[in-house]
């Protein structure tokens, strides 16, 4: 993993406050838990039927019955609970998640999210992201600022099939921290070693800038 991605994930971990019930989506978000202090008081939820999740484990140390929604082996902690997927999604649908962190293919300036399908490529299905994006009290995205061809992922409007409309509150990328506001994207922080002009050039929508100096991560 690049230093820029690692800094992004570490910065995103600061979004989690003590006492929160949090869901970490497949991909980059699952690594956030590795940047929290040992014993940090929050409840991690996975939609395949578990709350209270400890660190990921290698296969030789894992209980093969305990996996998260992405298939990674996880460990229990005191207070862990197990339930069926119906109960798990009842927790999601009833708005009991304080925060979900999701990956993204595209995010629109309106907060629309596209993260489940690229036409022409295999997709196993939408999964739980649609309901997580709609029902969590706060939705943040972790993604690279551009795709593999250098095209922006933060756009005026999504071009890919939507996961949910107007759901994203904040975006963490390898270049910046950006909030979704009623006026569009607002730059809040910038990665070390970058200039504002570089972030603007890599963003496919207007970007509101703060008046003072930007914090760096």
């Amino acid at each position: 993993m690049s230093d820029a991605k690692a800094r992004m994930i570490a910065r995103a971990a600061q979004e989690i406050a003590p006492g929160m019930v949090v869901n970490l989506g497949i991909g980059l978000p699952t690594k956030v838990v590795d940047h929290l202090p040992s014993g940090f008081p929050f409840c991690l939820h996975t939609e395949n039927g578990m709350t209270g999740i400890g660190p990921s484990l290698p296969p030789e140390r894992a209980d093969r019955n305990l996996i998260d929604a992405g298939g990674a082996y996880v460990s229990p902690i005191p207070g862990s609970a197990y339930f069926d997927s119906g109960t798990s999604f009842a927790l999601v649908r009833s708005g009991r998640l304080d925060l979900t962190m999701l990956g993204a293919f595209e995010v629109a300036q309106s907060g629309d999210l596209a993260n489940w399908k690229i036409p022409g490529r295999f997709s196993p299905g939408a999964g739980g992201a649609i309901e997580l994006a709609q029902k969590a009290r706060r939705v943040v995205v972790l993604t690279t600022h551009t795709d593999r061809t250098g095209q922006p992922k933060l756009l005026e409007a999504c071009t890919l099939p939507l996961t949910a409309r107007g759901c994203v509150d904040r975006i963490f990328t390898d270049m910046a921290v950006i909030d979704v506001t009623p006026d569009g994207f607002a730059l809040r922080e910038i990665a070390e070693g970058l200039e504002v002009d570089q972030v603007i050039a890599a963003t496919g929508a207007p970007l509101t800038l703060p008046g003072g100096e930007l914090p760096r991560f």
Side-chain angles (χ1 to χ4, degrees):
M1 182 182 295
S2 69
D3 288 344
K5 283 185 180 178
R7 288 199 305 271
M8 169 185 67
I9 294 166
R11 173 61 187 86
Q14 298 175 32
E15 194 81 358
I16 300 175
M20 278 187 169
V21 180
V22 180
N23 181 285
L24 301 178
I26 296 170
L28 292 173
T30 61
K31 302 181 185 301
V32 168
V33 68
D34 297 328
H35 292 269
L36 294 170
S38 176
F40 188 82
F42 83 117
C43 181
L44 185 56
H45 164 273
T46 179
E47 59 263 37
N48 60 317
M50 186 176 176
T51 53
I53 299 171
S56 299
L57 296 174
E60 64 271 14
R61 293 177 52 206
D63 178 340
R64 300 298 182 90
N65 294 307
L66 297 183
I67 60 172
D68 64 17
Y73 293 116
V74 296
S75 57
I77 58 175
S80 293
Y82 310 96
F83 32 82
D84 61 23
S85 60
T87 300
S88 183
F89 275 93
L91 292 172
V92 176
R93 292 166 185 157
S94 58
R96 285 173 164 80
L97 297 185
D98 295 299
L99 174 70
T100 186
M101 294 187 169
L102 300 172
F105 298 138
E106 295 176 343
V107 182
Q109 62 185 355
S110 61
D112 295 351
L113 172 65
N115 80 339
W116 76 276
K117 184 175 180 62
I118 297 177
R121 297 188 188 179
F122 171 77
S123 171
I130 287 177
E131 290 179 285
L132 289 167
Q134 291 177 342
K135 300 299 185 181
R137 295 171 186 169
R138 183 167 173 81
V139 177
V140 303
V141 161
L142 279 74
T143 186
T144 55
H145 210 94
T146 61
D147 65 20
R148 294 179 181 177
T149 67
Q151 297 302 306
K153 289 187 174 182
L154 279 59
L155 305 169
E156 293 185 0
C158 293
T159 65
L160 298 174
L162 292 184
T163 305
R165 294 186 182 275
C167 62
V168 178
D169 297 293
R170 171 166 281 191
I171 306 161
F172 294 95
T173 79
D174 48 349
M175 299 181 75
V177 178
I178 293 172
D179 281 342
V180 178
T181 76
D183 298 319
F185 293 136
L187 184 61
R188 301 302 191 206
E189 300 178 28
I190 189 170
E192 290 286 353
L194 294 179
E195 300 300 330
V196 172
D197 288 349
Q198 292 174 281
V199 178
I200 293 173
T203 305
L207 197 57
T208 301
L209 307 180
E213 184 176 352
L214 281 164
R216 291 185 177 268
F217 64 93

